[in-house]
Amino acid sequence: MSTATAEAGLTVQTSEGPVRGRVLGDTRSWRGIPYAEPPVAELRLRLPRRARPWSDVLDASGFGPWAPQRIHRLLPGAGPRTPMSEDCLTINVTAPKTPSADPLPVLVFLHGGAFEAGSAAMDLVDGSGITAMGNVLFVSMNYRLGALGFMDFRAYSTPDRPFEANLGLADQVAALEWVQRNIAAFGGDPGNVTLFGQSAGATSALTLMCVPAAAGLFHRAFLQSPAAGVAYSPERTEQWAAEFLGILGVGAGGAAEALSELPAAALVEAAGQLSGKIVPEAQPGARSLAPVVDGTFLPVHPLDAFADGSAQRIPLVLGTMESEGTLFDRFHDVLPTSEARIEKMFALTEPGLRDGVVAAYKGYPHKKQAVELGGDAVFWHPGLQVLQAHSEYAPAWCYRFDYAPRAARLAGLGATHGFDLPAVFGTYGSGAGRALLGLGNRRTTANVGHRFQSALLRFAKSGAPGPMWPKYDTVSRRTKIFDRYDRIELDPRSARRKAWNGYRGYR
């Protein structure tokens, strides 16, 4: 292959300036393209602003820096030398190596990480396999995390130093606006954009379905393990902001200066203490790093928006893992997966529902049932609330991912949170993916992953995940179970579903 052929189509003119990518295997890739101005100095804790134009060709061969965060062992690819910076608002595009004569469907991925960690550069979420297999365009981005992206400091604004809320979500909206302006130049169809994500990324996508500024920027949503109840009132988020400043040792009078001038690392550390230790014990099941129902950018709580039909009425696939809670109980203890936390959660939220819910978990308060209950409280139950409501207004499909490789089963984790990522991305060859296959099951695991990935691709191309996957409704509640052998179940775990009916959490 000649150099000219290999480099064909690698320089693309975007709305801000020309960018030059590179060929990677069977794809063409552009990485680290700024979609907004660096949110630093006077732009820290402010809404994103469109990137300034440039005239020289931008080298788009490498990922941009990760958003400031603490390195966590659950994040494959992160280490002491991982580049991090507040100047992190970059977007990445991967396209098939051979350009298409027709515009291609676009899949936009939002990474997870509890709103405080993660990056589009993680090898576990490499979209080249999706692009090559599906003949689609794959887009990912970094967005602000932690205190810089998901805390509400508006109460400490001054005339000279205003602060705004929902900044991480606003970054995502800015990236989706960039997609609408530019994706056609890369060969994509701006009228066929599927937004998908996992964990906090799925929660973000679900929330964006309720954000007026995001209306029309994407046309389908595929959500893996969203925590649909994780959005809070200004009164609650202001309380957490005050606790955050207390950790920093800063009073209200010095808050604006401290939030503007302290190093990002100090804000990261304080947010980690609040979200990782203080709030999980004080308000089990709540997350201090989360969207705020501010009345403007996010007018109402997402669960209420789905219930009243004001969420975007677009095709939706939503699912959870069979054992969401086990990963957190073992490695990231922030869920209500102990008897003490569960009892406190009900006391603070819905004490009248406590007896009925725990009775549905035979064997509670034994550890296994407590872990199941905690995972269901945060992921499964609110996800069903969304599906129940949305299915009345738009096409909706439900799944549960039950397959776990032998290594995961023997470790006592089962099909837990995040183990669907290598399946949907086809990245079992990554470091984390290889660990899951350390004791075999390679062929079966690959087959399950292929079916899961194929469902995403069919959904992106046609608006439905497959002919053998019926829509969700509130009568039959048909749910696709991904396992060694896939199946459809009617109203799985119906006793638990009925027991949770009416639970509203920390709204």
Side-chain angles (χ1 to χ4, degrees):
M1 182 173 62
S2 69
T3 301
T5 302
E7 295 182 353
L10 290 182
T11 299
V12 174
Q13 181 67 41
T14 74
S15 55
E16 283 71 44
V19 297
R20 183 177 183 81
R22 58 175 177 160
V23 172
L24 291 174
D26 293 328
T27 65
R28 291 170 294 143
S29 175
W30 299 264
R31 295 173 171 174
I33 305 169
Y35 66 84
E37 282 292 287
V40 299
E42 71 276 5
L43 296 185
R44 180 191 265 190
L45 297 174
R46 301 298 306 276
L47 292 170
R49 299 183 186 179
R50 184 170 167 175
R52 296 176 183 174
W54 59 84
S55 55
D56 293 338
V57 177
L58 178 73
D59 177 12
S61 60
F63 287 112
W66 294 36
Q69 59 192 269
R70 296 195 297 181
I71 300 299
H72 198 284
R73 56 180 169 170
L74 291 182
L75 293 176
R81 297 184 180 180
T82 299
M84 294 184 186
S85 172
E86 290 185 66
D87 181 4
C88 62
L89 302 185
T90 59
I91 196 165
N92 319 292
V93 180
T94 304
K97 184 160 62 175
T98 302
S100 171
D102 300 314
L104 297 178
V106 181
L107 286 94
V108 178
F109 177 71
L110 300 177
H111 73 77
F115 295 116
E116 61 182 330
S119 167
M122 295 184 294
D123 57 3
L124 196 61
V125 297
D126 177 4
S128 59
I130 289 177
T131 300
M133 176 183 171
N135 196 35
V136 297
L137 261 67
F138 175 81
V139 177
S140 62
M141 85 282 293
N142 287 344
Y143 54 93
R144 279 175 282 183
L145 301 170
L148 294 166
F150 287 94
M151 290 200 74
D152 180 7
F153 297 116
R154 291 174 298 163
Y156 302 100
S157 294
T158 67
D160 295 331
R161 195 64 179 88
F163 301 127
E164 291 155 323
N166 287 315
L167 300 175
L169 292 176
D171 293 343
Q172 296 163 4
V173 171
L176 288 166
E177 291 172 340
W178 184 96
V179 169
Q180 287 298 308
R181 293 195 305 270
N182 292 297
I183 206 63
F186 295 85
D189 180 359
N192 183 5
V193 175
T194 297
L195 187 61
F196 78 114
Q198 186 269 341
S199 192
T203 307
S204 295
L206 182 147
T207 306
L208 291 180
M209 291 178 65
C210 311
V211 169
L217 299 181
F218 57 99
H219 312 95
R220 303 180 181 106
F222 191 103
L223 310 182
Q224 301 169 235
S225 300
V230 174
Y232 305 102
S233 68
E235 292 76 18
R236 193 176 297 277
T237 59
E238 286 178 18
Q239 172 196 337
W240 288 331
E243 292 182 48
F244 173 86
L245 291 172
I247 295 170
L248 289 173
V250 173
E257 180 180 3
L259 292 170
S260 301
E261 298 182 2
L262 280 174
L267 306 184
V268 167
E269 181 59 32
Q273 290 184 41
L274 183 67
S275 67
K277 298 178 181 179
I278 297 172
V279 170
E281 293 295 338
Q283 296 152 323
R287 296 291 299 152
S288 55
L289 299 172
V292 54
V293 184
D294 60 5
T296 52
F297 183 86
L298 182 59
V300 299
H301 194 286
L303 290 178
D304 294 330
F306 280 98
D308 65 23
S310 62
Q312 292 187 47
R313 299 183 181 186
I314 59 175
L316 170 68
V317 173
L318 188 154
T320 52
M321 304 297 291
E322 180 187 32
S323 304
E324 290 281 2
T326 55
L327 183 84
F328 294 94
D329 183 63
R330 187 77 59 85
F331 299 110
H332 191 40
D333 187 23
V334 295
L335 296 192
T337 54
S338 67
E339 180 184 6
R341 286 187 180 178
I342 288 168
E343 298 299 328
K344 189 169 187 177
M345 177 185 74
F346 281 115
L348 293 173
T349 56
E350 302 279 359
L353 292 179
R354 181 264 178 207
D355 291 350
V357 172
V358 300
Y361 294 80
K362 306 301 182 184
Y364 177 85
H366 290 164
K367 187 62 175 177
K368 179 178 184 296
Q369 288 74 30
V371 171
E372 290 175 358
L373 193 155
D376 287 354
V378 175
F379 297 104
W380 178 67
H381 165 65
L384 286 187
Q385 288 181 291
V386 169
L387 285 164
Q388 290 168 176
H390 195 66
S391 64
E392 300 292 329
Y393 302 103
W397 292 265
C398 180
Y399 76 84
R400 194 180 74 214
F401 198 96
D402 283 17
Y403 178 74
R406 183 177 294 120
R409 296 197 306 272
L410 292 177
L413 294 169
T416 193
H417 192 77
F419 281 16
D420 53 345
L421 279 174
V424 78
F425 280 95
T427 49
Y428 282 107
S430 68
R434 287 194 302 273
L436 288 175
L437 297 182
L439 297 177
N441 289 143
R442 293 180 180 275
R443 179 175 296 180
T444 300
T445 301
N447 287 339
V448 176
H450 175 76
R451 296 195 301 271
F452 192 52
Q453 186 186 80
S454 295
L456 168 64
L457 291 170
R458 283 193 296 267
F459 183 65
K461 293 177 178 180
S462 70
M468 303 302 291
W469 186 346
K471 294 176 185 175
Y472 189 86
D473 61 63
T474 56
V475 177
S476 63
R477 301 178 186 274
R478 291 172 292 188
T479 300
K480 175 95 167 192
I481 309 297
F482 285 93
D483 206 340
R484 181 180 295 268
Y485 303 103
D486 297 347
R487 63 190 185 275
I488 301 295
E489 286 191 9
L490 304 180
D491 198 7
R493 298 174 175 171
S494 60
R496 292 186 182 182
R497 175 185 62 77
K498 294 173 184 176
W500 281 104
N501 187 42
Y503 184 79
R504 290 176 55 84
Y506 286 94
R507 272 181 284 175

